[in-house]
Amino acid sequence: MPETPVFATAAVAAPHRLAAKAGQGVLAQGGNAIEAMVAMAAAIAVVYPHMNGIGGDGFWLVREPGGRVRGIEACGPAGSLATIRRYREKGYDAIPSRGPDAAVTVAGTIGGWSLALDLSRALGGRLPLSALLADAIRHAREGCPVSPSEARYVPQELDTLHGAPNFAATFLKDGKPWPEGEIRRLPALAATLEQLAHAGLDDFYRGDLGREIAADLERLGAPVTRADLEAYAARERAPLSLRRRDATLFNFPPPTQGLAALMILGLFDRLNVTAPETPDHYHGLIEATKRAFSVRDRVVTDFDRLRHDPATFLDPAFLAREAGAIRMDRAASLPIRRPDEGDTVWMGAIDKDGMAVSFIQSVYWEYGSGTVLPATGICWQNRGTSLSLDPNAVNPLEPGRRPFHTLIPALAVFDDGRVMPYGSMGGDGQPQFQSQIFTRYADYGMSPADAVDAPRLLYGRTWGAESLTVKVEDRFDPACIRALRARGHDVEELGGPYIDSLGHAGMLIRHPGNGRVEAVHDPRSDGGAEGL
């Protein structure tokens, strides 16, 4: 069984070892958890570019040492040229997934770093931005080994990623993906990070760097303008919360699917499943997911355009009614839209004073739109592809609208004083993976390492396929699989012990009294935990 790393005072967890090292280095310099996370976010954007980048979005949950939990929304809206008419006139029936027309929205993540550092300074943070970006700049300028995770990624047959502007020149070697372990340099991105370290993060939107970004987007034909960049700022949002057993759980409000993550755990709690890793455990989570996604798909939209108060769906009476409709002997057949693909990074940090950060950063699909801006080396996200060209949809395309986000940082505060940031990458799977690792640890007493290592499942469709299945890793007990099939679940065995598409998850737990921190990141990723 895997062992959980334990640290005396502070720790970080990340899906790439160099990002974790960057965070540990900041903590060793006396930096706080927010400063450590900015260093990790910058480093991971360089060393794990298929999963995230500074051309994408991010979300933060920060628990201050005094107990207040804050949320930072760093997701960009659709550009001012991003209209349904524009795309229809170009002959599109849907927003394309790759290329400049997929670069629909402003990149928000740098704005999130900026707002988070404002909070950090208010709480005593003092490290200069140049120190926080130093590791990322070095890795981009001098190069770093291509990760196993990136080397494993192969575009789908119908994907057009390799044809996106400047993608091949940046992320291919002789027309093919870089092999694992070879040193790749990203000099244009290094220069961009150096400019941010020198001029400040606001330069990304309203300075010389913003001017270069806007000029490249215009030349390539993307619908995001300089005025869109200049108008952007990250915002603070009050997180959603759920009282459950001996803990209060926090997750992010719309436009993210944090509501679904909390609903799954609230519904499962009411099913009174007594034993982990059993047919009842997995059946209960699958059925809770169906009901939570049904609510999510009709409710979650841009925060400023909500038609329903998300908190009403976390009311105990509503959750009790929904849980009462779940049959434990039979799988329900509920409508569910095609899940969003998406690859992301989740990272966590806890410092010596007890500040805890749960953070997630993404360009949506692997490498986002694939469009790399030539002057800056920034690979732009394709998050706007989740917007619809149907004006009557829940999330229709229109200038200034935030798209639906799968990104959800999670955090739990237990009654005994434990604080636990946790989360996972994985598109629509994120709420499911969060519920699996949380229930294993919090409900059934598994160690953090065991909770993250144990085999996972995913309910939903896969890319290009229309049939719903429950996808499982091959470490599942065959008897459990047979029992799930007997209840009506279409179980698809994926044929591998640790499958990337079933999430790169992690968690950290700070214990009261002695302040020690348990921290773990997924064996499915290329990272781990570091600390002091």
Side-chain angles (χ1 to χ4, degrees), residues 161-528:
L161 174 62
H162 288 183
N166 209 34
F167 180 85
T170 307
F171 293 117
L172 300 182
K173 181 180 182 181
D174 300 325
K176 298 179 180 179
W178 281 73
E180 175 186 339
E182 287 205 19
I183 302 299
R184 179 185 56 209
R185 296 170 179 83
L186 298 170
L189 184 58
T192 293
L193 292 168
E194 288 174 329
Q195 171 68 10
L196 290 172
H198 168 73
L201 297 176
D202 193 61
D203 199 63
F204 188 95
Y205 301 101
R206 287 165 280 277
D208 292 339
L209 189 57
R211 186 161 43 248
E212 290 186 337
I213 291 170
D216 273 347
L217 289 169
E218 182 179 7
R219 277 192 293 268
L220 293 170
V224 175
T225 69
R226 187 178 178 194
D228 297 328
L229 295 173
E230 291 175 336
Y232 179 73
R235 298 188 183 185
E236 186 169 335
R237 298 286 189 205
L240 295 175
S241 64
L242 172 73
R243 179 66 192 167
R244 184 185 186 275
R245 300 195 186 187
D246 62 343
T248 301
L249 281 56
F250 298 90
N251 218 302
F252 217 87
T256 81
Q257 59 177 340
L259 171 63
L262 294 177
M263 281 189 65
I264 292 169
L265 287 167
L267 293 171
F268 181 78
D269 188 30
R270 288 161 171 79
L271 300 179
N272 298 315
V273 176
T274 59
E277 313 307 301
T278 60
D280 279 355
H281 183 195
Y282 291 117
H283 174 83
L285 290 174
I286 295 166
E287 296 305 296
T289 296
K290 292 175 182 177
R291 306 201 77 83
F293 279 10
S294 179
V295 170
R296 178 200 68 179
D297 292 346
R298 70 175 187 269
V299 168
V300 174
T301 187
D302 186 334
F303 188 90
D304 294 332
R305 294 165 169 83
L306 287 170
R307 300 174 183 174
H308 307 274
D309 179 1
T312 61
F313 302 98
L314 298 173
D315 181 83
F318 177 82
L319 291 173
R321 287 195 301 272
E322 288 289 296
I326 293 175
R327 287 183 55 177
M328 290 302 291
D329 63 340
R330 191 70 188 165
S333 177
L334 291 178
I336 182 170
R337 67 176 179 84
R338 185 176 74 81
D340 285 309
E341 297 297 311
D343 285 292
T344 303
V345 293
W346 177 87
M347 302 187 292
I350 299 177
D351 64 28
K352 61 180 175 57
D353 296 320
M355 184 192 300
V357 174
S358 183
F359 173 78
I360 198 157
Q361 183 170 271
S362 176
V363 287
Y364 198 28
W365 289 22
E366 291 94 340
Y367 303 102
S369 70
T371 300
V372 181
L373 307 186
T376 60
I378 298 170
C379 186
W380 212 259
Q381 66 184 356
N382 65 339
R383 181 61 63 174
T385 61
S386 67
L387 293 167
S388 174
L389 298 185
D390 177 358
N392 297 315
V394 175
N395 288 286
L397 175 66
E398 59 182 341
R401 190 182 195 103
R402 301 174 188 86
F404 170 80
H405 272 270
T406 52
L407 309 182
I408 46 171
L411 190 144
V413 179
F414 293 87
D415 293 348
D416 63 6
R418 285 173 294 157
V419 177
M420 174 180 151
Y422 66 103
S424 176
M425 58 74 93
D428 263 26
Q430 288 181 43
Q432 302 182 60
F433 307 146
Q434 286 187 9
S435 68
Q436 289 168 53
I437 65 173
F438 182 87
T439 56
R440 286 168 176 159
Y441 171 77
D443 294 354
Y444 303 122
M446 294 174 68
S447 73
D450 287 341
V452 169
D453 177 88
R456 288 193 205 124
L457 59 76
L458 169 67
Y459 169 72
R461 298 185 179 101
T462 55
W463 192 93
E466 290 302 317
S467 60
L468 289 171
T469 61
V470 175
K471 286 161 276 293
V472 300
E473 293 175 321
D474 67 6
R475 294 177 293 141
F476 264 78
D477 180 357
C480 183
I481 292 175
R482 288 194 297 271
L484 290 174
R485 286 173 172 157
R487 298 187 196 191
H489 297 287
D490 182 4
V491 180
E492 177 185 353
E493 299 178 65
L494 297 179
Y498 294 93
I499 303 294
D500 286 311
S501 62
L502 297 191
H504 295 170
M507 62 171 66
L508 301 88
I509 301 99
R510 184 177 192 266
H511 293 266
N514 58 20
R516 68 184 177 92
V517 181
E518 297 178 282
V520 63
H521 211 286
D522 209 309
R524 300 162 183 82
S525 72
D526 301 321

Side-chain angles (χ1 to χ4, degrees), residues 92-137:
Y92 292 121
D93 293 324
I95 298 172
S97 57
R98 305 294 194 185
D101 285 324
V104 177
T105 59
V106 173
T109 198
I110 296 295
W113 298 3
S114 181
L115 186 54
L117 288 175
D118 288 344
L119 175 58
S120 169
R121 286 187 286 272
L123 296 172
R126 293 293 180 266
L127 291 185
L129 184 60
S130 58
L132 304 184
L133 302 188
D135 279 11
I137 293 169

Side-chain angles (χ1 to χ4, degrees), residues 41-62:
I44 201 82
V46 174
V47 304
Y48 232 43
H50 59 311
M51 293 286 184
N52 80 117
I54 65 172
D57 288 336
F59 294 89
W60 299 67
L61 286 183
V62 179

